[in-house]
């Protein structure tokens, strides 16, 4: 293979190379400077530290007249010809200068003969290598000139670049406003400045919001550290007991010096008259800048507007700020301002998401008769508090209560919005007193109307404390667990059903016993399923955990409901939080049969009188004679109203718990409305009396009529 005459010239020792005639240059052939001059002597020959006839060991074992194939190839004329240069052009250089340029380029690349010579390199090459070493960090071996005056600027520039990189990374690590400002202060004090004051707009505009007037800056944070020199100990940084004084608030006047500096956006030194006036306006007239301090005022500009300012201060005994320090201040101010902008936007989004999630879930659970409730909700992560899990407890007519737990696919604002719509739909359907399977059927239709791929699972149960029964329908949700009073925990056999949103699927409900003292646990799959275990393994672990907790309280006592919920959540390990968790626990107390009185009344004129007599006997049996007059009056009014519109027998039921509850049902779907009767009206005052005498009252429409109820305190 033919090699270029100068491509490997430095690979053979100079002492063993024979003198070769200089090949005519193409420039000379083109009519340049005539014959080519003699070859430039090698710098090795002029090395004063080495004799001219010195031969390296590798050269000594090689005959002087030995010629390598590469040298023979160099002796031949090159097949590649350079185009002839025109005489007098700027590119027509003397041949000797061109040869020297090639050797200098070889030295800079480290491939020419001079790169291996022991003589000092050229000054220009020294500076180039010093700059490269300084930019790389200066951790390599010392080079000639690296510690001299010429290498000092490059070293300082490298230190400055490393500082900017570390400081911006520290600022970028912050997620909220305080972390970003603290990161700026910790990164710059005392490395870049002795003190820093960070002012931010008050209030801070969010996104594209127009800032409120007037333009007010509030001192968000100020840091000042000093280096202590204690005898026998290493110097350390401690807070300066005399921090730089500054005003808490500063109103930026339109057309003032501070407004002009902030409008310029770029950092400025504090030694000019205009900037001194701006600093005086920022710090306040009562807090002048200490004598001898140097300052840099850097506006903090976000994506659209100036949102604050940062003041970097140095004491008199420290070197003053340099022009390159303005570039450092600009980088720090830019990263800080953009980080603050993003933090404010993130804070607003997190607040909206948190409020949305909070409003979608019940603020507090009701306390219906015969059942105690407790709940827990855990988001998948603190940084993403929005999810599609929900729970609810809805009081129903007849002292019943509906228990609902659901889970919408996804962890986004859309999932939370769909969850809110489904929860509202479930509340509306529960108010119609529909069977659980019908409620799930209508929820499935609603999910399909909301759009495609709106999938959710749901468990809907209705508990009747009088009959001690519970009716459950399931739509693709994990099965509930019933913890009995003796400590036995069982997974209820409930038809799984299809998730809500599939469409065209029938749901099935089952009716089970709900003995007094038992606890029903409804939950979402985030409690029992994770990357480390499948859902059925998690359900079995949950069942064992409930049984173990119940064993601690004994066979005759149920574990406290709130403590039971906390203990269930403690079973989650570090890798088990992959999804939201909604938990609803219901302790069934029920209503004893002796505390229930139930009658049927024919819809006739004698029904109100019979209702009064039956109520009086029940109150006497319960030792509640002090309520007789009020109960007789209210029962008479409500039964009279029911008889007027009913066609079938009217039901009357009294329940004694912590309150006395009276329920009157009929087959008319028309709900009564309270109105103010005129003086000439003969009727219309019944519900007015109920509203004045009863503790609470209400009317609920059923699938086959309505129920009007009222409550009176028993103590």
């Amino acid at each position: 293979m033919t090699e270029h005459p100068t491509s490997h010239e430095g690979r053979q020792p100079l002492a063993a190379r024979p003198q070769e005639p200089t090949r005519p240059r193409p420039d000379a052939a083109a009519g340049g400077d005539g014959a080519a001059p003699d070859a430039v002597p090698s710098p090795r020959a002029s090395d004063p530290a080495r004799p001219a006839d010195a031969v390296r060991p590798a050269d000594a074992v090689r005959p002087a007249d030995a010629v390598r194939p590469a040298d023979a190839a160099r002796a031949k004329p090159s097949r590649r010809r350079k185009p002839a240069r025109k005489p007098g052009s700027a590119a027509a250089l003397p041949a000797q200068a061109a040869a020297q340029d090639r050797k200098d380029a070889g030295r800079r690349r480290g491939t020419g003969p001079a790169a291996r010579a022991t003589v000092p390199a050229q000054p220009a090459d020294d500076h180039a290598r010093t700059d490269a070493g300084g930019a790389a960090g200066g951790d390599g071996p010392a080079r000639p000139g690296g510690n001299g005056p010429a290498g000092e600027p490059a070293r300082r520039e490298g230190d400055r670049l490393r500082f900017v990189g570390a400081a911006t990374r520290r600022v970028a690590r912050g997620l909220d406003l305080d972390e970003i400002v603290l990161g700026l202060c910790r990164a710059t004090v005392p490395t870049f400045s002795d003190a820093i004051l960070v002012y931010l707009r008050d209030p801070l505009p969010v996104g594209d919001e127009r800032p409120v007037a007037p333009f007010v800056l509030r001192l968000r944070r100020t840091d000042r550290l000093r280096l202590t020199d204690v005898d026998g100990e290493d110097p350390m940084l401690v807070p300066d007991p005399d921090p730089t004084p500054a005003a808490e608030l500063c109103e930026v006047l339109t057309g003032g010096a501070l407004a002009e500096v902030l409008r310029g956006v770029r950092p400025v030194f504090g030694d000019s008259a205009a900037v001194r006036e701006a600093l005086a306006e920022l710090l306040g007239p009562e807090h002048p800048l200490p004598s001898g301090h140097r300052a840099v005022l850097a506006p903090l500009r976000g994506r659209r507007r100036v949102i604050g300012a940062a003041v970097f201060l140095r004491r008199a005994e420290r070197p003053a700020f340099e022009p390159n320090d303005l570039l450092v201040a600009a980088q720090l101010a830019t990263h800080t301002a953009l980080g603050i902008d993003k933090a404010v936007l993130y804070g607003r989004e997190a607040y909206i998401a948190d409020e949305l999630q909070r409003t979608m879930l019940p603020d507090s659970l009701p306390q219906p008769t015969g059942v105690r409730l407790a709940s827990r909700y855990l988001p998948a992560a603190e940084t993403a508090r929005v999810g599609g899990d929900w729970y609810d407890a809805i009081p129903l007519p007849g002292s019943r209560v509906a228990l609902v737990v659901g889970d919408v696919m996804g962890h986004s604002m859309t999932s939370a919005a769909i969850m809110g719509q489904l929860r509202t739909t479930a509340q509306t359907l529960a108010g119609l007193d529909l069977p659980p399977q019908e409620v799930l059927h209508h929820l499935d239709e609603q999910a399909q109307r909301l759009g495609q791929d709106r999938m959710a699972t749901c468990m809907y149960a209705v508990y009747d404390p009088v009959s001690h029964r519970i009716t459950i329908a399931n739509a693709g949700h994990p099965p509930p667990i019933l913890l009995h009073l003796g400590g036995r925990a069982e997974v209820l056999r409930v038809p799984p059903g299809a998730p809500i949103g599939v469409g065209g699927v029938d749901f099935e409900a089952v009716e089970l016993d709900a003995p007094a003292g038992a606890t029903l646990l409804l939950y979402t799959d985030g409690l029992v399923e994770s990357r480390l275990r499948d859902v059925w393994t998690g359900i079995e672990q949950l069942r064992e955990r409930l049984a173990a907790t119940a064993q601690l309280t004994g066979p005759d006592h149920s574990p406290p409901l709130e403590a039971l919920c906390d203990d269930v959540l403690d079973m989650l390990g570090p890798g088990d939080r992959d999804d939201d968790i909604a938990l609803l626990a219901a302790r069934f107390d029920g209503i004893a049969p002796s505390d229930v009185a139930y009658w049927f009344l024919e819809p006739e004129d004698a029904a109100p009188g019979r209702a009064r007599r039956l109520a009086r006997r029940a109150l006497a049996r319960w030792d509640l004679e002090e309520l007789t007059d009020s109960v007789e009056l209210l029962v008479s009014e409500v039964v009279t109203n029911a008889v007027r519109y009913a066609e079938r027998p009217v039901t009357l039921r009294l329940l004694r718990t912590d309150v006395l509850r009276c329920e009157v049902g009929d087959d008319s779907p028309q709900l009564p409305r309270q109105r103010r009767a005129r003086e000439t009206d003969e009727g219309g005052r019944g519900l007015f009396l109920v509203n004045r005498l009863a503790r609470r009252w209400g009317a609920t429409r059923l699938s086959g009529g309505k129920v009007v109820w009222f409550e009176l305190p028993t103590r």
Side-chain angles (χ1 to χ4, degrees):
M1 178 177 178
T2 304
E3 300 183 5
H4 194 276
T6 59
S7 60
H8 300 281
E9 187 176 353
R11 293 188 177 179
Q12 60 176 329
L14 293 180
R17 286 183 56 190
Q19 291 292 333
E20 301 175 3
T22 304
R23 190 178 68 245
R25 287 179 49 84
D27 306 72
D33 295 330
D38 296 336
V40 180
S42 173
R44 192 184 305 264
S46 59
D47 188 356
R50 183 177 180 217
D53 56 351
V55 180
R56 293 186 299 176
D59 302 332
V61 298
R62 185 177 177 209
D65 56 349
V67 180
R68 295 185 301 177
D71 300 333
R74 290 191 189 95
K76 299 179 182 180
S78 175
R79 297 180 181 179
R80 299 178 57 186
R81 290 293 186 181
K82 297 183 179 179
R85 296 170 181 164
K86 296 181 181 181
S89 64
L93 298 176
Q96 182 177 4
Q100 186 64 36
D101 289 341
R102 287 195 301 272
K103 293 183 180 294
D104 292 342
R107 284 198 302 270
R108 286 192 293 270
R109 292 192 302 267
T111 59
R116 298 179 180 85
T118 58
V119 296
Q122 297 295 330
D125 298 334
D126 293 342
H127 293 316
R129 281 193 294 269
T130 303
D131 293 344
D139 296 331
R143 294 182 176 90
N147 297 326
E152 183 65 21
R155 185 188 62 79
R156 295 175 61 184
E157 186 64 24
D159 293 342
R160 187 177 286 109
L161 291 175
R162 286 190 295 273
F163 164 73
V164 171
T168 52
R169 284 193 300 271
R170 185 161 190 172
V171 171
R173 282 198 297 265
L175 287 178
D176 58 13
L177 188 62
D178 293 332
E179 289 181 353
I180 293 174
V181 175
L182 179 62
L184 174 64
C185 296
R186 291 291 185 262
T188 55
V189 178
T191 308
F192 181 71
S193 62
D194 296 316
I196 183 174
L197 295 89
V198 181
Y199 285 84
L200 295 181
R201 199 161 190 157
D202 188 29
L204 272 171
V206 180
D208 297 332
E209 291 182 357
R210 293 182 60 86
V212 298
F215 187 177
V216 177
L217 293 177
R218 178 182 293 274
L219 182 61
R220 187 77 184 193
R221 187 177 181 89
T222 174
D223 275 6
R224 184 183 180 107
L225 299 176
R226 61 185 178 88
L227 194 64
T228 60
D229 294 328
V230 182
D231 295 340
E233 296 182 5
D234 295 334
M236 59 181 178
L237 295 170
V238 297
D240 198 324
D242 184 20
T244 303
E248 183 72 18
L249 292 176
C250 171
E251 181 177 351
V252 181
L253 304 177
T254 304
L258 182 57
E260 292 297 325
V261 172
L262 296 180
R263 187 178 295 112
V265 177
R266 298 181 181 278
V268 290
F269 290 122
D271 52 359
S272 64
V275 180
R276 283 198 299 269
E277 185 178 351
L279 286 173
E281 181 180 348
L282 181 63
L283 301 179
E286 298 85 5
H287 308 285
L289 191 67
S291 177
H293 277 57
R294 285 93 167 203
V296 168
L297 177 57
L300 302 178
R301 178 177 175 82
R303 295 188 307 117
R304 297 187 179 274
R305 59 184 63 87
V306 174
I307 60 175
V311 181
F312 303 95
L313 299 174
R314 285 185 183 177
R315 293 191 297 268
E317 60 270 18
R318 188 168 178 175
F321 289 107
E322 299 177 356
N324 286 339
D325 291 332
L326 293 182
L327 301 178
V328 176
Q331 287 286 335
L332 297 177
T334 300
H335 281 77
T336 302
L338 294 178
I340 290 174
D341 252 0
K342 294 177 181 178
V344 172
L345 283 173
Y346 171 77
R348 172 64 62 88
E349 292 180 359
Y351 171 78
I352 293 174
D354 189 60
E355 286 298 312
L356 177 63
Q357 185 74 34
R358 194 187 308 276
T359 54
M360 294 301 179
L361 297 175
D363 294 334
S364 60
L365 293 174
Q367 298 299 327
T369 303
V371 62
R372 286 174 286 171
L373 302 173
S375 63
R376 294 291 186 273
Y377 174 79
L378 292 179
E382 288 297 325
T383 56
R385 299 184 63 87
V386 182
D389 294 13
W390 90 91
Y391 60 89
D392 209 347
I394 309 168
L396 299 178
S399 298
R400 297 171 301 155
V401 58
L403 307 174
V404 190
V405 168
D407 183 4
V408 179
M409 292 176 55
H411 304 90
S412 62
M413 302 279 282
T414 303
S415 302
I418 295 173
M419 177 266 288
Q421 291 175 310
L422 293 180
R423 177 172 178 255
T424 303
T425 304
Q427 289 179 331
T428 304
L429 296 172
L432 299 177
D433 198 29
L434 298 178
Q437 64 271 21
E438 291 295 326
V439 172
L440 294 183
H441 175 73
H442 289 293
L443 285 177
D444 179 63
E445 293 180 341
Q446 176 67 12
Q448 295 179 62
R449 285 191 292 267
L450 293 177
Q452 297 180 352
D453 299 331
R454 305 304 189 192
M455 306 288 291
T457 62
C458 183
M459 180 77 66
Y460 189 91
V462 176
Y463 170 65
D464 189 347
V466 177
S467 63
H468 297 271
R469 303 282 288 178
I470 185 170
T471 306
I472 306 176
N474 188 13
H477 206 75
I481 297 179
L482 185 65
L483 178 63
H484 293 269
L485 183 61
R488 182 173 63 91
E490 65 170 329
V491 180
L492 297 182
R493 296 180 178 273
V494 180
I500 292 174
V502 173
V505 179
D506 293 332
F507 299 97
E508 183 181 354
V510 294
E511 187 174 354
L512 305 172
D513 289 331
T519 303
L520 182 69
L521 196 69
L522 304 178
Y523 53 90
T524 57
D525 58 354
L527 180 64
V528 295
E529 186 179 18
S530 68
R531 292 170 295 178
L532 305 179
R533 60 185 178 185
D534 61 89
V535 61
W536 290 108
T537 302
I539 291 175
E540 182 61 24
Q541 292 178 358
L542 176 60
R543 188 194 65 80
E544 294 175 355
R545 185 62 175 261
L546 290 174
T549 303
Q551 295 291 337
L552 300 177
T553 58
D556 299 331
H557 298 84
S558 300
L561 205 56
E562 296 291 340
L564 180 65
C565 292
D566 293 336
D567 190 68
V568 166
L569 294 180
D570 287 342
M571 67 177 285
L572 297 172
D576 293 341
R577 291 290 303 281
D578 298 333
D579 198 358
D580 300 352
I581 297 175
L583 178 66
L584 180 63
R587 174 71 46 77
F588 299 141
D589 294 333
I591 300 176
S594 59
D595 293 330
V596 181
Y598 193 84
W599 304 279
F600 287 94
L601 304 174
E602 293 295 331
E604 55 189 13
D605 295 340
R610 184 166 181 264
R612 288 193 296 269
R613 291 192 300 272
L614 295 174
R616 187 185 311 116
R617 294 172 186 171
L619 294 177
R621 187 169 65 251
W622 292 336
D623 296 330
L624 297 176
E625 290 86 352
E626 66 273 9
L627 300 178
T628 301
D629 295 338
S630 299
V631 171
E632 286 186 1
L633 177 60
L634 298 182
V635 165
S636 178
E637 293 294 338
V638 175
V639 171
T640 300
N641 237 1
V643 169
R644 181 178 302 175
Y645 301 101
E647 297 180 358
R648 297 179 181 179
V650 176
T651 60
L652 172 63
R653 185 167 71 170
L654 296 179
L655 303 175
R656 183 187 66 165
T657 56
D658 53 344
V659 296
L660 179 67
R661 183 182 178 96
C662 176
E663 299 174 351
V664 178
D666 60 76
D667 59 349
S668 175
Q670 183 179 358
L671 297 179
R673 293 287 183 264
Q674 181 182 353
R675 63 185 180 88
R676 182 175 295 277
R678 293 173 297 183
E679 296 180 358
T680 57
D681 292 342
E682 296 182 0
R685 297 177 178 84
L687 291 181
F688 178 78
L689 293 175
V690 173
N691 185 62
R692 294 297 301 268
L693 297 179
R695 179 181 179 181
R696 292 194 311 155
W697 78 278
T700 305
R701 182 180 286 109
L702 305 178
S703 56
K706 67 176 180 294
V707 169
V708 181
W709 57 270
F710 64 85
E711 293 179 353
L712 293 173
T714 57
R715 298 179 181 85

